[in-house]
Amino acid sequence: MAEQKIYTQAGFKALQDEFDYLVNVRVEENKKEISTASAFGDLSENSEYDEAKQEQGKIHARIDELREMIANAKVVDESQIDEKTISVGSIVVIYNVE
């Protein structure tokens, strides 16, 4: 089982948005790229086709990664976070007063 990670609502939405973009837009774009590249001829010497197929692998790997991240995500309510304590995901700004 994958490790559960904690996200704010905005962080979780960013994961979902990237997942939706890849599934609904990038996969279709890549299919067209593969189709166009395959029309160039001999696939054994077709670098455009090889590149499009490699990109397809990267897209599907990222989709699988995002699917797992979303399935194992825990979304925290930002109003419940104690802002006086530094924890995972905190952004700390340090000022040098001298």
mmCIF file of all heavy atoms in Angstrom, residues 48-93:
data_model
loop_
_atom_site.group_PDB
_atom_site.id
_atom_site.type_symbol
_atom_site.label_atom_id
_atom_site.label_comp_id
_atom_site.label_asym_id
_atom_site.label_seq_id
_atom_site.Cartn_x
_atom_site.Cartn_y
_atom_site.Cartn_z
ATOM 1 N N GLU A 48 10.375 10.855 -35.020
ATOM 2 C CA GLU A 48 9.174 11.521 -34.515
ATOM 3 C C GLU A 48 8.242 10.504 -33.859
ATOM 4 O O GLU A 48 7.648 10.766 -32.819
ATOM 5 C CB GLU A 48 8.429 12.253 -35.639
ATOM 6 C CG GLU A 48 9.126 13.491 -36.143
ATOM 7 C CD GLU A 48 10.123 13.183 -37.265
ATOM 8 O OE1 GLU A 48 10.277 11.999 -37.651
ATOM 9 O OE2 GLU A 48 10.770 14.130 -37.743
ATOM 10 N N TYR A 49 8.120 9.330 -34.487
ATOM 11 C CA TYR A 49 7.274 8.279 -33.934
ATOM 12 C C TYR A 49 7.848 7.784 -32.600
ATOM 13 O O TYR A 49 7.120 7.637 -31.623
ATOM 14 C CB TYR A 49 7.161 7.119 -34.930
ATOM 15 C CG TYR A 49 6.328 5.975 -34.429
ATOM 16 C CD1 TYR A 49 4.936 6.037 -34.472
ATOM 17 C CD2 TYR A 49 6.909 4.822 -33.907
ATOM 18 C CE1 TYR A 49 4.152 4.995 -34.003
ATOM 19 C CE2 TYR A 49 6.141 3.773 -33.437
ATOM 20 C CZ TYR A 49 4.760 3.860 -33.492
ATOM 21 O OH TYR A 49 3.997 2.832 -33.025
ATOM 22 N N ASP A 50 9.162 7.550 -32.565
ATOM 23 C CA ASP A 50 9.806 7.101 -31.328
ATOM 24 C C ASP A 50 9.600 8.106 -30.205
ATOM 25 O O ASP A 50 9.300 7.743 -29.065
ATOM 26 C CB ASP A 50 11.306 6.871 -31.543
ATOM 27 C CG ASP A 50 11.597 5.672 -32.423
ATOM 28 O OD1 ASP A 50 10.710 4.802 -32.557
ATOM 29 O OD2 ASP A 50 12.708 5.616 -32.980
ATOM 30 N N GLU A 51 9.754 9.382 -30.529
ATOM 31 C CA GLU A 51 9.588 10.435 -29.526
ATOM 32 C C GLU A 51 8.145 10.487 -29.022
ATOM 33 O O GLU A 51 7.901 10.624 -27.818
ATOM 34 C CB GLU A 51 9.981 11.786 -30.131
ATOM 35 C CG GLU A 51 10.009 12.911 -29.138
ATOM 36 C CD GLU A 51 10.500 14.211 -29.763
ATOM 37 O OE1 GLU A 51 11.452 14.173 -30.557
ATOM 38 O OE2 GLU A 51 9.905 15.245 -29.436
ATOM 39 N N ALA A 52 7.181 10.369 -29.930
ATOM 40 C CA ALA A 52 5.772 10.399 -29.539
ATOM 41 C C ALA A 52 5.425 9.194 -28.665
ATOM 42 O O ALA A 52 4.668 9.319 -27.698
ATOM 43 C CB ALA A 52 4.881 10.442 -30.770
ATOM 44 N N LYS A 53 5.984 8.026 -28.968
ATOM 45 C CA LYS A 53 5.733 6.835 -28.165
ATOM 46 C C LYS A 53 6.378 6.968 -26.780
ATOM 47 O O LYS A 53 5.797 6.543 -25.779
ATOM 48 C CB LYS A 53 6.255 5.575 -28.870
ATOM 49 C CG LYS A 53 5.442 5.176 -30.089
ATOM 50 C CD LYS A 53 4.011 4.824 -29.755
ATOM 51 C CE LYS A 53 3.910 3.432 -29.194
ATOM 52 N NZ LYS A 53 2.526 2.988 -28.952
ATOM 53 N N GLN A 54 7.569 7.559 -26.713
ATOM 54 C CA GLN A 54 8.207 7.787 -25.418
ATOM 55 C C GLN A 54 7.382 8.755 -24.580
ATOM 56 O O GLN A 54 7.203 8.566 -23.370
ATOM 57 C CB GLN A 54 9.623 8.324 -25.598
ATOM 58 C CG GLN A 54 10.602 7.284 -26.079
ATOM 59 C CD GLN A 54 11.986 7.875 -26.319
ATOM 60 O OE1 GLN A 54 12.215 9.069 -26.176
ATOM 61 N NE2 GLN A 54 12.923 7.006 -26.691
ATOM 62 N N GLU A 55 6.869 9.790 -25.218
ATOM 63 C CA GLU A 55 6.015 10.754 -24.523
ATOM 64 C C GLU A 55 4.747 10.070 -24.014
ATOM 65 O O GLU A 55 4.278 10.357 -22.915
ATOM 66 C CB GLU A 55 5.660 11.919 -25.453
ATOM 67 C CG GLU A 55 4.837 13.004 -24.815
ATOM 68 C CD GLU A 55 5.552 13.755 -23.702
ATOM 69 O OE1 GLU A 55 6.796 13.713 -23.621
ATOM 70 O OE2 GLU A 55 4.862 14.402 -22.892
ATOM 71 N N GLN A 56 4.212 9.152 -24.799
ATOM 72 C CA GLN A 56 3.031 8.401 -24.381
ATOM 73 C C GLN A 56 3.325 7.632 -23.090
ATOM 74 O O GLN A 56 2.509 7.626 -22.163
ATOM 75 C CB GLN A 56 2.610 7.432 -25.479
ATOM 76 C CG GLN A 56 1.374 6.622 -25.134
ATOM 77 C CD GLN A 56 1.043 5.607 -26.213
ATOM 78 O OE1 GLN A 56 1.936 4.939 -26.742
ATOM 79 N NE2 GLN A 56 -0.231 5.507 -26.546
ATOM 80 N N GLY A 57 4.483 7.019 -23.022
ATOM 81 C CA GLY A 57 4.875 6.291 -21.818
ATOM 82 C C GLY A 57 4.975 7.202 -20.613
ATOM 83 O O GLY A 57 4.537 6.851 -19.513
ATOM 84 N N LYS A 58 5.560 8.383 -20.810
ATOM 85 C CA LYS A 58 5.692 9.346 -19.716
ATOM 86 C C LYS A 58 4.332 9.823 -19.234
ATOM 87 O O LYS A 58 4.091 9.969 -18.027
ATOM 88 C CB LYS A 58 6.529 10.550 -20.159
ATOM 89 C CG LYS A 58 7.990 10.233 -20.371
ATOM 90 C CD LYS A 58 8.723 11.456 -20.887
ATOM 91 C CE LYS A 58 10.152 11.136 -21.273
ATOM 92 N NZ LYS A 58 10.829 12.305 -21.862
ATOM 93 N N ILE A 59 3.433 10.093 -20.181
ATOM 94 C CA ILE A 59 2.088 10.563 -19.831
ATOM 95 C C ILE A 59 1.362 9.510 -19.003
ATOM 96 O O ILE A 59 0.784 9.813 -17.952
ATOM 97 C CB ILE A 59 1.287 10.920 -21.100
ATOM 98 C CG1 ILE A 59 1.862 12.167 -21.771
ATOM 99 C CG2 ILE A 59 -0.189 11.124 -20.774
ATOM 100 C CD1 ILE A 59 1.328 12.417 -23.174
ATOM 101 N N HIS A 60 1.402 8.268 -19.456
ATOM 102 C CA HIS A 60 0.686 7.211 -18.741
ATOM 103 C C HIS A 60 1.323 6.897 -17.391
ATOM 104 O O HIS A 60 0.615 6.569 -16.430
ATOM 105 C CB HIS A 60 0.552 5.966 -19.619
ATOM 106 C CG HIS A 60 -0.477 6.143 -20.701
ATOM 107 N ND1 HIS A 60 -1.828 6.105 -20.453
ATOM 108 C CD2 HIS A 60 -0.354 6.394 -22.023
ATOM 109 C CE1 HIS A 60 -2.493 6.320 -21.571
ATOM 110 N NE2 HIS A 60 -1.616 6.500 -22.543
ATOM 111 N N ALA A 61 2.634 7.023 -17.304
ATOM 112 C CA ALA A 61 3.299 6.821 -16.014
ATOM 113 C C ALA A 61 2.860 7.903 -15.020
ATOM 114 O O ALA A 61 2.590 7.616 -13.849
ATOM 115 C CB ALA A 61 4.817 6.843 -16.189
ATOM 116 N N ARG A 62 2.784 9.147 -15.486
ATOM 117 C CA ARG A 62 2.359 10.242 -14.610
ATOM 118 C C ARG A 62 0.890 10.078 -14.220
ATOM 119 O O ARG A 62 0.515 10.352 -13.072
ATOM 120 C CB ARG A 62 2.596 11.599 -15.296
ATOM 121 C CG ARG A 62 2.237 12.790 -14.449
ATOM 122 C CD ARG A 62 3.070 12.887 -13.189
ATOM 123 N NE ARG A 62 2.682 14.082 -12.429
ATOM 124 C CZ ARG A 62 2.926 14.267 -11.166
ATOM 125 N NH1 ARG A 62 3.602 13.377 -10.471
ATOM 126 N NH2 ARG A 62 2.525 15.359 -10.563
ATOM 127 N N ILE A 63 0.053 9.631 -15.155
ATOM 128 C CA ILE A 63 -1.360 9.384 -14.837
ATOM 129 C C ILE A 63 -1.473 8.336 -13.739
ATOM 130 O O ILE A 63 -2.230 8.511 -12.775
ATOM 131 C CB ILE A 63 -2.142 8.948 -16.100
ATOM 132 C CG1 ILE A 63 -2.340 10.148 -17.032
ATOM 133 C CG2 ILE A 63 -3.486 8.324 -15.733
ATOM 134 C CD1 ILE A 63 -2.906 9.799 -18.392
ATOM 135 N N ASP A 64 -0.716 7.252 -13.856
ATOM 136 C CA ASP A 64 -0.746 6.210 -12.835
ATOM 137 C C ASP A 64 -0.262 6.739 -11.485
ATOM 138 O O ASP A 64 -0.839 6.437 -10.437
ATOM 139 C CB ASP A 64 0.111 5.015 -13.253
ATOM 140 C CG ASP A 64 -0.484 4.252 -14.428
ATOM 141 O OD1 ASP A 64 -1.693 4.400 -14.701
ATOM 142 O OD2 ASP A 64 0.273 3.509 -15.084
ATOM 143 N N GLU A 65 0.795 7.561 -11.525
ATOM 144 C CA GLU A 65 1.332 8.154 -10.296
ATOM 145 C C GLU A 65 0.298 9.065 -9.633
ATOM 146 O O GLU A 65 0.066 8.994 -8.426
ATOM 147 C CB GLU A 65 2.601 8.937 -10.633
ATOM 148 C CG GLU A 65 3.267 9.592 -9.457
ATOM 149 C CD GLU A 65 4.498 10.391 -9.851
ATOM 150 O OE1 GLU A 65 4.627 10.797 -11.022
ATOM 151 O OE2 GLU A 65 5.336 10.618 -8.966
ATOM 152 N N LEU A 66 -0.343 9.911 -10.431
ATOM 153 C CA LEU A 66 -1.357 10.823 -9.895
ATOM 154 C C LEU A 66 -2.564 10.057 -9.360
ATOM 155 O O LEU A 66 -3.123 10.419 -8.322
ATOM 156 C CB LEU A 66 -1.796 11.824 -10.971
ATOM 157 C CG LEU A 66 -0.785 12.906 -11.312
ATOM 158 C CD1 LEU A 66 -1.202 13.644 -12.577
ATOM 159 C CD2 LEU A 66 -0.624 13.875 -10.160
ATOM 160 N N ARG A 67 -2.968 9.007 -10.068
ATOM 161 C CA ARG A 67 -4.106 8.196 -9.623
ATOM 162 C C ARG A 67 -3.829 7.627 -8.224
ATOM 163 O O ARG A 67 -4.689 7.663 -7.343
ATOM 164 C CB ARG A 67 -4.365 7.073 -10.624
ATOM 165 C CG ARG A 67 -5.585 6.230 -10.282
ATOM 166 C CD ARG A 67 -5.876 5.176 -11.334
ATOM 167 N NE ARG A 67 -6.457 5.815 -12.507
ATOM 168 C CZ ARG A 67 -5.979 5.669 -13.749
ATOM 169 N NH1 ARG A 67 -4.930 4.920 -13.986
ATOM 170 N NH2 ARG A 67 -6.562 6.281 -14.758
ATOM 171 N N GLU A 68 -2.617 7.133 -8.025
ATOM 172 C CA GLU A 68 -2.245 6.583 -6.721
ATOM 173 C C GLU A 68 -2.174 7.684 -5.662
ATOM 174 O O GLU A 68 -2.627 7.499 -4.528
ATOM 175 C CB GLU A 68 -0.904 5.861 -6.816
ATOM 176 C CG GLU A 68 -0.550 5.128 -5.557
ATOM 177 C CD GLU A 68 0.667 4.236 -5.714
ATOM 178 O OE1 GLU A 68 0.871 3.680 -6.795
ATOM 179 O OE2 GLU A 68 1.408 4.117 -4.727
ATOM 180 N N MET A 69 -1.613 8.838 -6.022
ATOM 181 C CA MET A 69 -1.514 9.944 -5.070
ATOM 182 C C MET A 69 -2.903 10.410 -4.640
ATOM 183 O O MET A 69 -3.134 10.670 -3.449
ATOM 184 C CB MET A 69 -0.734 11.110 -5.694
ATOM 185 C CG MET A 69 0.735 10.823 -5.884
ATOM 186 S SD MET A 69 1.571 12.059 -6.907
ATOM 187 C CE MET A 69 1.593 13.466 -5.810
ATOM 188 N N ILE A 70 -3.820 10.513 -5.588
ATOM 189 C CA ILE A 70 -5.180 10.961 -5.284
ATOM 190 C C ILE A 70 -5.905 9.931 -4.411
ATOM 191 O O ILE A 70 -6.594 10.282 -3.452
ATOM 192 C CB ILE A 70 -5.957 11.251 -6.591
ATOM 193 C CG1 ILE A 70 -5.394 12.516 -7.246
ATOM 194 C CG2 ILE A 70 -7.448 11.383 -6.333
ATOM 195 C CD1 ILE A 70 -5.874 12.760 -8.663
ATOM 196 N N ALA A 71 -5.712 8.658 -4.735
ATOM 197 C CA ALA A 71 -6.378 7.600 -3.970
ATOM 198 C C ALA A 71 -5.892 7.547 -2.530
ATOM 199 O O ALA A 71 -6.657 7.182 -1.628
ATOM 200 C CB ALA A 71 -6.147 6.254 -4.649
ATOM 201 N N ASN A 72 -4.635 7.926 -2.289
ATOM 202 C CA ASN A 72 -4.062 7.837 -0.946
ATOM 203 C C ASN A 72 -3.915 9.195 -0.265
ATOM 204 O O ASN A 72 -3.231 9.297 0.745
ATOM 205 C CB ASN A 72 -2.702 7.137 -1.015
ATOM 206 C CG ASN A 72 -2.837 5.704 -1.445
ATOM 207 O OD1 ASN A 72 -3.550 4.937 -0.828
ATOM 208 N ND2 ASN A 72 -2.188 5.348 -2.529
ATOM 209 N N ALA A 73 -4.558 10.205 -0.807
ATOM 210 C CA ALA A 73 -4.425 11.554 -0.254
ATOM 211 C C ALA A 73 -5.346 11.749 0.946
ATOM 212 O O ALA A 73 -6.438 11.202 1.015
ATOM 213 C CB ALA A 73 -4.764 12.592 -1.322
ATOM 214 N N LYS A 74 -4.850 12.541 1.865
ATOM 215 C CA LYS A 74 -5.671 12.981 2.993
ATOM 216 C C LYS A 74 -5.731 14.501 2.899
ATOM 217 O O LYS A 74 -4.702 15.170 2.896
ATOM 218 C CB LYS A 74 -5.052 12.561 4.319
ATOM 219 C CG LYS A 74 -5.852 13.035 5.520
ATOM 220 C CD LYS A 74 -5.213 12.622 6.817
ATOM 221 C CE LYS A 74 -6.021 13.172 7.979
ATOM 222 N NZ LYS A 74 -5.360 12.910 9.260
ATOM 223 N N VAL A 75 -6.932 15.038 2.789
ATOM 224 C CA VAL A 75 -7.116 16.479 2.655
ATOM 225 C C VAL A 75 -7.423 17.055 4.025
ATOM 226 O O VAL A 75 -8.314 16.575 4.721
ATOM 227 C CB VAL A 75 -8.261 16.800 1.662
ATOM 228 C CG1 VAL A 75 -8.438 18.303 1.515
ATOM 229 C CG2 VAL A 75 -7.988 16.158 0.310
ATOM 230 N N VAL A 76 -6.633 18.076 4.408
ATOM 231 C CA VAL A 76 -6.835 18.702 5.710
ATOM 232 C C VAL A 76 -7.600 20.007 5.544
ATOM 233 O O VAL A 76 -7.484 20.690 4.529
ATOM 234 C CB VAL A 76 -5.498 18.972 6.439
ATOM 235 C CG1 VAL A 76 -4.803 17.676 6.768
ATOM 236 C CG2 VAL A 76 -4.596 19.866 5.647
ATOM 237 N N ASP A 77 -8.366 20.325 6.546
ATOM 238 C CA ASP A 77 -9.092 21.587 6.587
ATOM 239 C C ASP A 77 -8.111 22.656 7.061
ATOM 240 O O ASP A 77 -7.586 22.566 8.177
ATOM 241 C CB ASP A 77 -10.273 21.464 7.540
ATOM 242 C CG ASP A 77 -11.118 22.724 7.601
ATOM 243 O OD1 ASP A 77 -10.836 23.684 6.855
ATOM 244 O OD2 ASP A 77 -12.066 22.741 8.405
ATOM 245 N N GLU A 78 -7.843 23.638 6.216
ATOM 246 C CA GLU A 78 -6.847 24.661 6.542
ATOM 247 C C GLU A 78 -7.210 25.465 7.782
ATOM 248 O O GLU A 78 -6.326 25.975 8.467
ATOM 249 C CB GLU A 78 -6.633 25.586 5.347
ATOM 250 C CG GLU A 78 -5.953 24.885 4.185
ATOM 251 C CD GLU A 78 -5.717 25.800 3.017
ATOM 252 O OE1 GLU A 78 -4.954 26.777 3.178
ATOM 253 O OE2 GLU A 78 -6.298 25.547 1.953
ATOM 254 N N SER A 79 -8.480 25.562 8.094
ATOM 255 C CA SER A 79 -8.880 26.319 9.283
ATOM 256 C C SER A 79 -8.493 25.580 10.571
ATOM 257 O O SER A 79 -8.436 26.179 11.634
ATOM 258 C CB SER A 79 -10.383 26.590 9.263
ATOM 259 O OG SER A 79 -11.100 25.375 9.380
ATOM 260 N N GLN A 80 -8.221 24.302 10.469
ATOM 261 C CA GLN A 80 -7.845 23.505 11.634
ATOM 262 C C GLN A 80 -6.335 23.467 11.869
ATOM 263 O O GLN A 80 -5.870 22.898 12.840
ATOM 264 C CB GLN A 80 -8.349 22.070 11.467
ATOM 265 C CG GLN A 80 -9.839 21.958 11.297
ATOM 266 C CD GLN A 80 -10.611 22.442 12.514
ATOM 267 O OE1 GLN A 80 -10.185 22.225 13.639
ATOM 268 N NE2 GLN A 80 -11.726 23.110 12.281
ATOM 269 N N ILE A 81 -5.561 24.082 10.973
ATOM 270 C CA ILE A 81 -4.110 24.057 11.080
ATOM 271 C C ILE A 81 -3.646 25.137 12.054
ATOM 272 O O ILE A 81 -4.040 26.296 11.956
ATOM 273 C CB ILE A 81 -3.452 24.277 9.698
ATOM 274 C CG1 ILE A 81 -3.839 23.135 8.754
ATOM 275 C CG2 ILE A 81 -1.939 24.371 9.824
ATOM 276 C CD1 ILE A 81 -3.391 23.343 7.329
ATOM 277 N N ASP A 82 -2.806 24.758 12.990
ATOM 278 C CA ASP A 82 -2.237 25.695 13.955
ATOM 279 C C ASP A 82 -1.093 26.434 13.265
ATOM 280 O O ASP A 82 -0.048 25.856 12.986
ATOM 281 C CB ASP A 82 -1.725 24.941 15.187
ATOM 282 C CG ASP A 82 -1.110 25.868 16.231
ATOM 283 O OD1 ASP A 82 -1.260 27.106 16.101
ATOM 284 O OD2 ASP A 82 -0.500 25.352 17.178
ATOM 285 N N GLU A 83 -1.284 27.710 12.979
ATOM 286 C CA GLU A 83 -0.291 28.491 12.243
ATOM 287 C C GLU A 83 0.890 28.924 13.105
ATOM 288 O O GLU A 83 1.847 29.490 12.600
ATOM 289 C CB GLU A 83 -0.959 29.705 11.604
ATOM 290 C CG GLU A 83 -1.960 29.315 10.535
ATOM 291 C CD GLU A 83 -2.656 30.502 9.917
ATOM 292 O OE1 GLU A 83 -2.453 31.649 10.371
ATOM 293 O OE2 GLU A 83 -3.418 30.291 8.958
ATOM 294 N N LYS A 84 0.832 28.660 14.404
ATOM 295 C CA LYS A 84 1.933 29.029 15.284
ATOM 296 C C LYS A 84 2.953 27.903 15.414
ATOM 297 O O LYS A 84 3.982 28.075 16.030
ATOM 298 C CB LYS A 84 1.397 29.405 16.661
ATOM 299 C CG LYS A 84 0.541 30.655 16.608
ATOM 300 C CD LYS A 84 0.021 31.038 17.951
ATOM 301 C CE LYS A 84 -0.837 32.282 17.789
ATOM 302 N NZ LYS A 84 -1.274 32.841 19.029
ATOM 303 N N THR A 85 2.649 26.762 14.823
ATOM 304 C CA THR A 85 3.535 25.605 14.886
ATOM 305 C C THR A 85 3.985 25.246 13.472
ATOM 306 O O THR A 85 3.168 25.165 12.566
ATOM 307 C CB THR A 85 2.806 24.396 15.507
ATOM 308 O OG1 THR A 85 2.301 24.768 16.780
ATOM 309 C CG2 THR A 85 3.733 23.213 15.636
ATOM 310 N N ILE A 86 5.278 25.032 13.311
ATOM 311 C CA ILE A 86 5.809 24.613 12.010
ATOM 312 C C ILE A 86 5.574 23.124 11.862
ATOM 313 O O ILE A 86 5.871 22.340 12.761
ATOM 314 C CB ILE A 86 7.318 24.926 11.909
ATOM 315 C CG1 ILE A 86 7.546 26.428 12.015
ATOM 316 C CG2 ILE A 86 7.891 24.366 10.614
ATOM 317 C CD1 ILE A 86 9.005 26.812 12.093
ATOM 318 N N SER A 87 5.014 22.751 10.711
ATOM 319 C CA SER A 87 4.776 21.334 10.443
ATOM 320 C C SER A 87 5.013 21.075 8.957
ATOM 321 O O SER A 87 5.398 21.977 8.215
ATOM 322 C CB SER A 87 3.359 20.952 10.847
ATOM 323 O OG SER A 87 2.431 21.684 10.081
ATOM 324 N N VAL A 88 4.781 19.854 8.530
ATOM 325 C CA VAL A 88 4.969 19.488 7.131
ATOM 326 C C VAL A 88 4.092 20.376 6.257
ATOM 327 O O VAL A 88 2.911 20.582 6.538
ATOM 328 C CB VAL A 88 4.609 18.004 6.917
ATOM 329 C CG1 VAL A 88 4.701 17.645 5.448
ATOM 330 C CG2 VAL A 88 5.518 17.128 7.744
ATOM 331 N N GLY A 89 4.685 20.934 5.232
ATOM 332 C CA GLY A 89 3.949 21.797 4.316
ATOM 333 C C GLY A 89 3.984 23.259 4.709
ATOM 334 O O GLY A 89 3.481 24.108 3.972
ATOM 335 N N SER A 90 4.542 23.577 5.859
ATOM 336 C CA SER A 90 4.625 24.965 6.301
ATOM 337 C C SER A 90 5.636 25.720 5.466
ATOM 338 O O SER A 90 6.674 25.177 5.074
ATOM 339 C CB SER A 90 5.045 25.050 7.766
ATOM 340 O OG SER A 90 4.084 24.465 8.610
ATOM 341 N N ILE A 91 5.349 26.969 5.213
ATOM 342 C CA ILE A 91 6.295 27.859 4.551
ATOM 343 C C ILE A 91 6.766 28.850 5.611
ATOM 344 O O ILE A 91 5.962 29.534 6.234
ATOM 345 C CB ILE A 91 5.669 28.601 3.358
ATOM 346 C CG1 ILE A 91 5.213 27.581 2.313
ATOM 347 C CG2 ILE A 91 6.630 29.618 2.780
ATOM 348 C CD1 ILE A 91 4.430 28.176 1.168
ATOM 349 N N VAL A 92 8.063 28.898 5.805
ATOM 350 C CA VAL A 92 8.642 29.725 6.854
ATOM 351 C C VAL A 92 9.474 30.815 6.215
ATOM 352 O O VAL A 92 10.297 30.555 5.349
ATOM 353 C CB VAL A 92 9.519 28.870 7.801
ATOM 354 C CG1 VAL A 92 10.119 29.723 8.888
ATOM 355 C CG2 VAL A 92 8.713 27.732 8.394
ATOM 356 N N VAL A 93 9.253 32.046 6.650
ATOM 357 C CA VAL A 93 10.033 33.186 6.172
ATOM 358 C C VAL A 93 10.825 33.714 7.351
ATOM 359 O O VAL A 93 10.257 33.990 8.423
ATOM 360 C CB VAL A 93 9.135 34.280 5.589
ATOM 361 C CG1 VAL A 93 9.958 35.468 5.111
ATOM 362 C CG2 VAL A 93 8.273 33.736 4.463
#
